[in-house]
């Protein structure tokens, strides 16, 4: 995928996970910042405040985006070679649904098409 797409997908995922963690795990969050690379190039710097579980979910999602073999990323549901493990997928789908409602957005459908 393009660098722009990678950046916007990463930021979208973070925004949703951050919203979920803010509401669900407010007591357990730690502030951190992270440099994220794509195709051996440092592309973006993100700041977040997540609990350890949500941080792991975020890092897992970033790793999947980094390894996505598709030039034009298909909707995950229609992907010929889905990269998420089932349990991770379920966890992320739960987060996306929660935060999607919270944020009043359906933009995420473009990325993951959960419904
Ligand atoms: Zn959390």
């Amino acid at each position: 995928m393009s660098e722009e797409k990678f950046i916007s997908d990463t930021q979208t995922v973070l925004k949703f996970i951050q919203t979920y963690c803010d509401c669900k795990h407010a007591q357990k969050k730690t502030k951190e910042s992270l440099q994220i690379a794509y195709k051996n190039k440092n592309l973006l710097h993100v700041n977040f405040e997540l609990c350890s579980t949500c941080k792991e979910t975020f890092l897992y999602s970033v790793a999947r985006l980094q390894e996505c073999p598709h030039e034009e990323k298909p909707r995950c549901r229609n992907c010929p070679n889905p990269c998420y493990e089932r349990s991770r997928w379920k966890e992320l789908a739960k987060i996306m649904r929660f935060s999607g409602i919270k944020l009043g957005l359906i933009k995420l459908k473009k990325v993951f098409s959960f419904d």
Side-chain angles (χ1 to χ4, degrees), residues 88-115:
R88 298 277 192 172
W89 177 259
K90 276 185 164 170
E91 175 67 16
L92 197 65
K94 187 178 78 185
I95 292 171
M96 294 308 176
R97 265 196 306 271
F98 177 90
S99 297
I101 292 164
K102 199 88 191 160
L103 294 165
L105 286 181
I106 33 173
K107 181 184 165 202
L108 197 78
K109 282 189 176 176
K110 281 197 238 158
V111 183
F112 290 103
S113 69
F114 292 119
D115 48 12

PDB file of all heavy atoms in Angstrom, residues 88-115:
ATOM      1  N   ARG A  88      -7.631 -12.406  17.614  1.00  0.00           N
ATOM      2  CA  ARG A  88      -7.227 -11.005  17.519  1.00  0.00           C
ATOM      3  C   ARG A  88      -8.273 -10.218  16.733  1.00  0.00           C
ATOM      4  O   ARG A  88      -8.593  -9.084  17.043  1.00  0.00           O
ATOM      5  CB  ARG A  88      -5.903 -10.885  16.779  1.00  0.00           C
ATOM      6  CG  ARG A  88      -4.770 -11.569  17.441  1.00  0.00           C
ATOM      7  CD  ARG A  88      -4.196 -10.667  18.506  1.00  0.00           C
ATOM      8  NE  ARG A  88      -2.923 -11.181  18.962  1.00  0.00           N
ATOM      9  CZ  ARG A  88      -2.132 -10.515  19.784  1.00  0.00           C
ATOM     10  NH1 ARG A  88      -2.477  -9.342  20.241  1.00  0.00           N
ATOM     11  NH2 ARG A  88      -0.998 -11.035  20.159  1.00  0.00           N
ATOM     12  N   TRP A  89      -8.740 -10.840  15.678  1.00  0.00           N
ATOM     13  CA  TRP A  89      -9.737 -10.202  14.836  1.00  0.00           C
ATOM     14  C   TRP A  89     -10.984  -9.870  15.638  1.00  0.00           C
ATOM     15  O   TRP A  89     -11.542  -8.777  15.551  1.00  0.00           O
ATOM     16  CB  TRP A  89     -10.080 -11.145  13.677  1.00  0.00           C
ATOM     17  CG  TRP A  89     -11.144 -10.614  12.784  1.00  0.00           C
ATOM     18  CD1 TRP A  89     -12.459 -10.952  12.774  1.00  0.00           C
ATOM     19  CD2 TRP A  89     -10.975  -9.612  11.776  1.00  0.00           C
ATOM     20  NE1 TRP A  89     -13.124 -10.218  11.827  1.00  0.00           N
ATOM     21  CE2 TRP A  89     -12.241  -9.402  11.204  1.00  0.00           C
ATOM     22  CE3 TRP A  89      -9.888  -8.879  11.316  1.00  0.00           C
ATOM     23  CZ2 TRP A  89     -12.446  -8.474  10.176  1.00  0.00           C
ATOM     24  CZ3 TRP A  89     -10.102  -7.958  10.295  1.00  0.00           C
ATOM     25  CH2 TRP A  89     -11.366  -7.769   9.734  1.00  0.00           C
ATOM     26  N   LYS A  90     -11.421 -10.838  16.444  1.00  0.00           N
ATOM     27  CA  LYS A  90     -12.620 -10.646  17.272  1.00  0.00           C
ATOM     28  C   LYS A  90     -12.424  -9.515  18.258  1.00  0.00           C
ATOM     29  O   LYS A  90     -13.307  -8.703  18.477  1.00  0.00           O
ATOM     30  CB  LYS A  90     -12.941 -11.936  18.037  1.00  0.00           C
ATOM     31  CG  LYS A  90     -13.736 -12.933  17.246  1.00  0.00           C
ATOM     32  CD  LYS A  90     -14.078 -14.091  18.155  1.00  0.00           C
ATOM     33  CE  LYS A  90     -15.183 -14.959  17.589  1.00  0.00           C
ATOM     34  NZ  LYS A  90     -15.317 -16.194  18.390  1.00  0.00           N
ATOM     35  N   GLU A  91     -11.255  -9.481  18.883  1.00  0.00           N
ATOM     36  CA  GLU A  91     -10.934  -8.441  19.855  1.00  0.00           C
ATOM     37  C   GLU A  91     -10.970  -7.068  19.177  1.00  0.00           C
ATOM     38  O   GLU A  91     -11.568  -6.121  19.666  1.00  0.00           O
ATOM     39  CB  GLU A  91      -9.537  -8.718  20.447  1.00  0.00           C
ATOM     40  CG  GLU A  91      -9.015  -7.647  21.402  1.00  0.00           C
ATOM     41  CD  GLU A  91      -9.806  -7.538  22.696  1.00  0.00           C
ATOM     42  OE1 GLU A  91     -10.567  -8.480  23.009  1.00  0.00           O
ATOM     43  OE2 GLU A  91      -9.666  -6.509  23.378  1.00  0.00           O
ATOM     44  N   LEU A  92     -10.336  -6.991  18.019  1.00  0.00           N
ATOM     45  CA  LEU A  92     -10.292  -5.715  17.313  1.00  0.00           C
ATOM     46  C   LEU A  92     -11.683  -5.308  16.820  1.00  0.00           C
ATOM     47  O   LEU A  92     -12.052  -4.140  16.892  1.00  0.00           O
ATOM     48  CB  LEU A  92      -9.307  -5.796  16.143  1.00  0.00           C
ATOM     49  CG  LEU A  92      -8.868  -4.443  15.601  1.00  0.00           C
ATOM     50  CD1 LEU A  92      -8.069  -3.664  16.639  1.00  0.00           C
ATOM     51  CD2 LEU A  92      -8.024  -4.601  14.343  1.00  0.00           C
ATOM     52  N   ALA A  93     -12.448  -6.289  16.355  1.00  0.00           N
ATOM     53  CA  ALA A  93     -13.810  -5.989  15.885  1.00  0.00           C
ATOM     54  C   ALA A  93     -14.642  -5.402  17.020  1.00  0.00           C
ATOM     55  O   ALA A  93     -15.409  -4.459  16.823  1.00  0.00           O
ATOM     56  CB  ALA A  93     -14.461  -7.267  15.339  1.00  0.00           C
ATOM     57  N   LYS A  94     -14.443  -5.929  18.218  1.00  0.00           N
ATOM     58  CA  LYS A  94     -15.164  -5.437  19.390  1.00  0.00           C
ATOM     59  C   LYS A  94     -14.784  -3.974  19.671  1.00  0.00           C
ATOM     60  O   LYS A  94     -15.635  -3.117  19.901  1.00  0.00           O
ATOM     61  CB  LYS A  94     -14.794  -6.323  20.599  1.00  0.00           C
ATOM     62  CG  LYS A  94     -15.586  -6.049  21.851  1.00  0.00           C
ATOM     63  CD  LYS A  94     -15.173  -7.005  22.972  1.00  0.00           C
ATOM     64  CE  LYS A  94     -13.857  -6.555  23.605  1.00  0.00           C
ATOM     65  NZ  LYS A  94     -13.348  -7.511  24.626  1.00  0.00           N
ATOM     66  N   ILE A  95     -13.481  -3.706  19.622  1.00  0.00           N
ATOM     67  CA  ILE A  95     -12.984  -2.350  19.853  1.00  0.00           C
ATOM     68  C   ILE A  95     -13.520  -1.388  18.790  1.00  0.00           C
ATOM     69  O   ILE A  95     -13.976  -0.288  19.095  1.00  0.00           O
ATOM     70  CB  ILE A  95     -11.429  -2.335  19.845  1.00  0.00           C
ATOM     71  CG1 ILE A  95     -10.896  -3.091  21.068  1.00  0.00           C
ATOM     72  CG2 ILE A  95     -10.888  -0.913  19.783  1.00  0.00           C
ATOM     73  CD1 ILE A  95      -9.386  -3.321  21.059  1.00  0.00           C
ATOM     74  N   MET A  96     -13.486  -1.819  17.544  1.00  0.00           N
ATOM     75  CA  MET A  96     -13.921  -0.966  16.439  1.00  0.00           C
ATOM     76  C   MET A  96     -15.406  -0.654  16.515  1.00  0.00           C
ATOM     77  O   MET A  96     -15.829   0.462  16.236  1.00  0.00           O
ATOM     78  CB  MET A  96     -13.603  -1.646  15.092  1.00  0.00           C
ATOM     79  CG  MET A  96     -12.117  -1.793  14.826  1.00  0.00           C
ATOM     80  SD  MET A  96     -11.234  -0.213  15.017  1.00  0.00           S
ATOM     81  CE  MET A  96      -9.551  -0.732  14.757  1.00  0.00           C
ATOM     82  N   ARG A  97     -16.191  -1.653  16.896  1.00  0.00           N
ATOM     83  CA  ARG A  97     -17.638  -1.416  17.018  1.00  0.00           C
ATOM     84  C   ARG A  97     -17.924  -0.414  18.125  1.00  0.00           C
ATOM     85  O   ARG A  97     -18.658   0.542  17.951  1.00  0.00           O
ATOM     86  CB  ARG A  97     -18.381  -2.732  17.299  1.00  0.00           C
ATOM     87  CG  ARG A  97     -18.926  -3.379  16.043  1.00  0.00           C
ATOM     88  CD  ARG A  97     -19.965  -4.440  16.374  1.00  0.00           C
ATOM     89  NE  ARG A  97     -19.446  -5.413  17.321  1.00  0.00           N
ATOM     90  CZ  ARG A  97     -18.805  -6.516  16.963  1.00  0.00           C
ATOM     91  NH1 ARG A  97     -18.619  -6.798  15.703  1.00  0.00           N
ATOM     92  NH2 ARG A  97     -18.349  -7.349  17.884  1.00  0.00           N
ATOM     93  N   PHE A  98     -17.287  -0.652  19.274  1.00  0.00           N
ATOM     94  CA  PHE A  98     -17.478   0.230  20.424  1.00  0.00           C
ATOM     95  C   PHE A  98     -17.105   1.669  20.073  1.00  0.00           C
ATOM     96  O   PHE A  98     -17.874   2.604  20.262  1.00  0.00           O
ATOM     97  CB  PHE A  98     -16.633  -0.265  21.605  1.00  0.00           C
ATOM     98  CG  PHE A  98     -16.708   0.618  22.818  1.00  0.00           C
ATOM     99  CD1 PHE A  98     -17.678   0.408  23.784  1.00  0.00           C
ATOM    100  CD2 PHE A  98     -15.817   1.668  22.982  1.00  0.00           C
ATOM    101  CE1 PHE A  98     -17.760   1.229  24.905  1.00  0.00           C
ATOM    102  CE2 PHE A  98     -15.888   2.503  24.103  1.00  0.00           C
ATOM    103  CZ  PHE A  98     -16.861   2.278  25.058  1.00  0.00           C
ATOM    104  N   SER A  99     -15.896   1.843  19.559  1.00  0.00           N
ATOM    105  CA  SER A  99     -15.403   3.187  19.291  1.00  0.00           C
ATOM    106  C   SER A  99     -16.103   3.822  18.097  1.00  0.00           C
ATOM    107  O   SER A  99     -16.278   5.035  18.045  1.00  0.00           O
ATOM    108  CB  SER A  99     -13.891   3.157  19.049  1.00  0.00           C
ATOM    109  OG  SER A  99     -13.228   2.721  20.202  1.00  0.00           O
ATOM    110  N   GLY A 100     -16.508   2.996  17.151  1.00  0.00           N
ATOM    111  CA  GLY A 100     -17.232   3.505  15.986  1.00  0.00           C
ATOM    112  C   GLY A 100     -18.517   4.193  16.423  1.00  0.00           C
ATOM    113  O   GLY A 100     -18.857   5.276  15.949  1.00  0.00           O
ATOM    114  N   ILE A 101     -19.204   3.565  17.353  1.00  0.00           N
ATOM    115  CA  ILE A 101     -20.441   4.145  17.879  1.00  0.00           C
ATOM    116  C   ILE A 101     -20.119   5.404  18.684  1.00  0.00           C
ATOM    117  O   ILE A 101     -20.726   6.453  18.527  1.00  0.00           O
ATOM    118  CB  ILE A 101     -21.185   3.116  18.766  1.00  0.00           C
ATOM    119  CG1 ILE A 101     -21.705   1.968  17.898  1.00  0.00           C
ATOM    120  CG2 ILE A 101     -22.333   3.779  19.526  1.00  0.00           C
ATOM    121  CD1 ILE A 101     -22.110   0.733  18.669  1.00  0.00           C
ATOM    122  N   LYS A 102     -19.094   5.283  19.517  1.00  0.00           N
ATOM    123  CA  LYS A 102     -18.651   6.382  20.362  1.00  0.00           C
ATOM    124  C   LYS A 102     -18.266   7.612  19.530  1.00  0.00           C
ATOM    125  O   LYS A 102     -18.596   8.735  19.864  1.00  0.00           O
ATOM    126  CB  LYS A 102     -17.435   5.897  21.168  1.00  0.00           C
ATOM    127  CG  LYS A 102     -17.124   6.706  22.368  1.00  0.00           C
ATOM    128  CD  LYS A 102     -17.903   6.203  23.570  1.00  0.00           C
ATOM    129  CE  LYS A 102     -17.765   7.214  24.690  1.00  0.00           C
ATOM    130  NZ  LYS A 102     -18.831   7.056  25.676  1.00  0.00           N
ATOM    131  N   LEU A 103     -17.545   7.375  18.493  1.00  0.00           N
ATOM    132  CA  LEU A 103     -17.048   8.469  17.656  1.00  0.00           C
ATOM    133  C   LEU A 103     -18.063   8.897  16.602  1.00  0.00           C
ATOM    134  O   LEU A 103     -17.888   9.902  15.930  1.00  0.00           O
ATOM    135  CB  LEU A 103     -15.752   8.062  16.957  1.00  0.00           C
ATOM    136  CG  LEU A 103     -14.538   7.823  17.861  1.00  0.00           C
ATOM    137  CD1 LEU A 103     -13.452   7.087  17.107  1.00  0.00           C
ATOM    138  CD2 LEU A 103     -14.008   9.122  18.427  1.00  0.00           C
ATOM    139  N   GLY A 104     -19.116   8.102  16.467  1.00  0.00           N
ATOM    140  CA  GLY A 104     -20.124   8.427  15.469  1.00  0.00           C
ATOM    141  C   GLY A 104     -19.591   8.369  14.052  1.00  0.00           C
ATOM    142  O   GLY A 104     -19.969   9.147  13.189  1.00  0.00           O
ATOM    143  N   LEU A 105     -18.709   7.441  13.834  1.00  0.00           N
ATOM    144  CA  LEU A 105     -18.074   7.354  12.524  1.00  0.00           C
ATOM    145  C   LEU A 105     -18.383   6.035  11.846  1.00  0.00           C
ATOM    146  O   LEU A 105     -18.484   5.015  12.495  1.00  0.00           O
ATOM    147  CB  LEU A 105     -16.549   7.405  12.672  1.00  0.00           C
ATOM    148  CG  LEU A 105     -15.876   8.713  13.010  1.00  0.00           C
ATOM    149  CD1 LEU A 105     -14.383   8.472  13.078  1.00  0.00           C
ATOM    150  CD2 LEU A 105     -16.174   9.746  11.951  1.00  0.00           C
ATOM    151  N   ILE A 106     -18.473   6.089  10.535  1.00  0.00           N
ATOM    152  CA  ILE A 106     -18.544   4.833   9.811  1.00  0.00           C
ATOM    153  C   ILE A 106     -17.382   4.742   8.837  1.00  0.00           C
ATOM    154  O   ILE A 106     -17.259   3.826   8.059  1.00  0.00           O
ATOM    155  CB  ILE A 106     -19.884   4.646   9.068  1.00  0.00           C
ATOM    156  CG1 ILE A 106     -20.403   5.996   8.603  1.00  0.00           C
ATOM    157  CG2 ILE A 106     -20.897   3.921   9.920  1.00  0.00           C
ATOM    158  CD1 ILE A 106     -21.622   5.889   7.714  1.00  0.00           C
ATOM    159  N   LYS A 107     -16.511   5.720   8.945  1.00  0.00           N
ATOM    160  CA  LYS A 107     -15.321   5.785   8.108  1.00  0.00           C
ATOM    161  C   LYS A 107     -14.509   4.491   8.147  1.00  0.00           C
ATOM    162  O   LYS A 107     -13.893   4.092   7.166  1.00  0.00           O
ATOM    163  CB  LYS A 107     -14.473   6.953   8.618  1.00  0.00           C
ATOM    164  CG  LYS A 107     -13.203   7.197   7.855  1.00  0.00           C
ATOM    165  CD  LYS A 107     -12.412   8.312   8.526  1.00  0.00           C
ATOM    166  CE  LYS A 107     -10.984   8.322   8.021  1.00  0.00           C
ATOM    167  NZ  LYS A 107     -10.078   8.978   8.932  1.00  0.00           N
ATOM    168  N   LEU A 108     -14.537   3.860   9.312  1.00  0.00           N
ATOM    169  CA  LEU A 108     -13.712   2.682   9.494  1.00  0.00           C
ATOM    170  C   LEU A 108     -14.100   1.543   8.567  1.00  0.00           C
ATOM    171  O   LEU A 108     -13.286   0.693   8.246  1.00  0.00           O
ATOM    172  CB  LEU A 108     -13.820   2.207  10.929  1.00  0.00           C
ATOM    173  CG  LEU A 108     -12.680   1.260  11.237  1.00  0.00           C
ATOM    174  CD1 LEU A 108     -11.434   2.066  11.468  1.00  0.00           C
ATOM    175  CD2 LEU A 108     -12.991   0.396  12.394  1.00  0.00           C
ATOM    176  N   LYS A 109     -15.325   1.563   8.136  1.00  0.00           N
ATOM    177  CA  LYS A 109     -15.758   0.517   7.219  1.00  0.00           C
ATOM    178  C   LYS A 109     -14.845   0.453   6.005  1.00  0.00           C
ATOM    179  O   LYS A 109     -14.663  -0.587   5.412  1.00  0.00           O
ATOM    180  CB  LYS A 109     -17.189   0.765   6.772  1.00  0.00           C
ATOM    181  CG  LYS A 109     -18.189   0.375   7.816  1.00  0.00           C
ATOM    182  CD  LYS A 109     -19.589   0.439   7.260  1.00  0.00           C
ATOM    183  CE  LYS A 109     -20.590  -0.058   8.291  1.00  0.00           C
ATOM    184  NZ  LYS A 109     -21.955   0.089   7.810  1.00  0.00           N
ATOM    185  N   LYS A 110     -14.310   1.586   5.635  1.00  0.00           N
ATOM    186  CA  LYS A 110     -13.403   1.628   4.495  1.00  0.00           C
ATOM    187  C   LYS A 110     -12.160   0.801   4.749  1.00  0.00           C
ATOM    188  O   LYS A 110     -11.577   0.252   3.836  1.00  0.00           O
ATOM    189  CB  LYS A 110     -12.981   3.077   4.205  1.00  0.00           C
ATOM    190  CG  LYS A 110     -14.011   3.866   3.450  1.00  0.00           C
ATOM    191  CD  LYS A 110     -13.359   5.109   2.863  1.00  0.00           C
ATOM    192  CE  LYS A 110     -14.066   6.339   3.362  1.00  0.00           C
ATOM    193  NZ  LYS A 110     -13.268   7.536   3.306  1.00  0.00           N
ATOM    194  N   VAL A 111     -11.755   0.765   5.990  1.00  0.00           N
ATOM    195  CA  VAL A 111     -10.523   0.055   6.311  1.00  0.00           C
ATOM    196  C   VAL A 111     -10.787  -1.422   6.594  1.00  0.00           C
ATOM    197  O   VAL A 111     -10.166  -2.302   6.010  1.00  0.00           O
ATOM    198  CB  VAL A 111      -9.813   0.685   7.534  1.00  0.00           C
ATOM    199  CG1 VAL A 111      -8.500  -0.029   7.797  1.00  0.00           C
ATOM    200  CG2 VAL A 111      -9.577   2.162   7.304  1.00  0.00           C
ATOM    201  N   PHE A 112     -11.721  -1.682   7.491  1.00  0.00           N
ATOM    202  CA  PHE A 112     -11.887  -3.059   7.932  1.00  0.00           C
ATOM    203  C   PHE A 112     -13.209  -3.702   7.529  1.00  0.00           C
ATOM    204  O   PHE A 112     -13.338  -4.902   7.588  1.00  0.00           O
ATOM    205  CB  PHE A 112     -11.767  -3.143   9.447  1.00  0.00           C
ATOM    206  CG  PHE A 112     -10.374  -2.895   9.940  1.00  0.00           C
ATOM    207  CD1 PHE A 112     -10.025  -1.703  10.509  1.00  0.00           C
ATOM    208  CD2 PHE A 112      -9.416  -3.885   9.793  1.00  0.00           C
ATOM    209  CE1 PHE A 112      -8.737  -1.486  10.960  1.00  0.00           C
ATOM    210  CE2 PHE A 112      -8.126  -3.668  10.223  1.00  0.00           C
ATOM    211  CZ  PHE A 112      -7.788  -2.464  10.813  1.00  0.00           C
ATOM    212  N   SER A 113     -14.176  -2.874   7.198  1.00  0.00           N
ATOM    213  CA  SER A 113     -15.530  -3.345   6.918  1.00  0.00           C
ATOM    214  C   SER A 113     -16.049  -4.383   7.911  1.00  0.00           C
ATOM    215  O   SER A 113     -16.309  -5.516   7.589  1.00  0.00           O
ATOM    216  CB  SER A 113     -15.679  -3.862   5.487  1.00  0.00           C
ATOM    217  OG  SER A 113     -14.974  -5.049   5.269  1.00  0.00           O
ATOM    218  N   PHE A 114     -16.125  -3.970   9.150  1.00  0.00           N
ATOM    219  CA  PHE A 114     -16.795  -4.788  10.159  1.00  0.00           C
ATOM    220  C   PHE A 114     -18.274  -4.483  10.099  1.00  0.00           C
ATOM    221  O   PHE A 114     -18.654  -3.350  10.309  1.00  0.00           O
ATOM    222  CB  PHE A 114     -16.338  -4.383  11.569  1.00  0.00           C
ATOM    223  CG  PHE A 114     -14.911  -4.710  11.866  1.00  0.00           C
ATOM    224  CD1 PHE A 114     -14.022  -3.706  12.166  1.00  0.00           C
ATOM    225  CD2 PHE A 114     -14.481  -6.018  11.848  1.00  0.00           C
ATOM    226  CE1 PHE A 114     -12.715  -4.012  12.456  1.00  0.00           C
ATOM    227  CE2 PHE A 114     -13.177  -6.318  12.137  1.00  0.00           C
ATOM    228  CZ  PHE A 114     -12.287  -5.313  12.442  1.00  0.00           C
ATOM    229  N   ASP A 115     -19.089  -5.447   9.816  1.00  0.00           N
ATOM    230  CA  ASP A 115     -20.514  -5.269  10.063  1.00  0.00           C
ATOM    231  C   ASP A 115     -21.247  -6.569   9.836  1.00  0.00           C
ATOM    232  O   ASP A 115     -20.606  -7.580   9.616  1.00  0.00           O
ATOM    233  CB  ASP A 115     -21.143  -4.136   9.222  1.00  0.00           C
ATOM    234  CG  ASP A 115     -20.760  -4.231   7.762  1.00  0.00           C
ATOM    235  OD1 ASP A 115     -20.208  -5.272   7.348  1.00  0.00           O
ATOM    236  OD2 ASP A 115     -21.026  -3.270   7.038  1.00  0.00           O
TER     237      ASP A 115
END
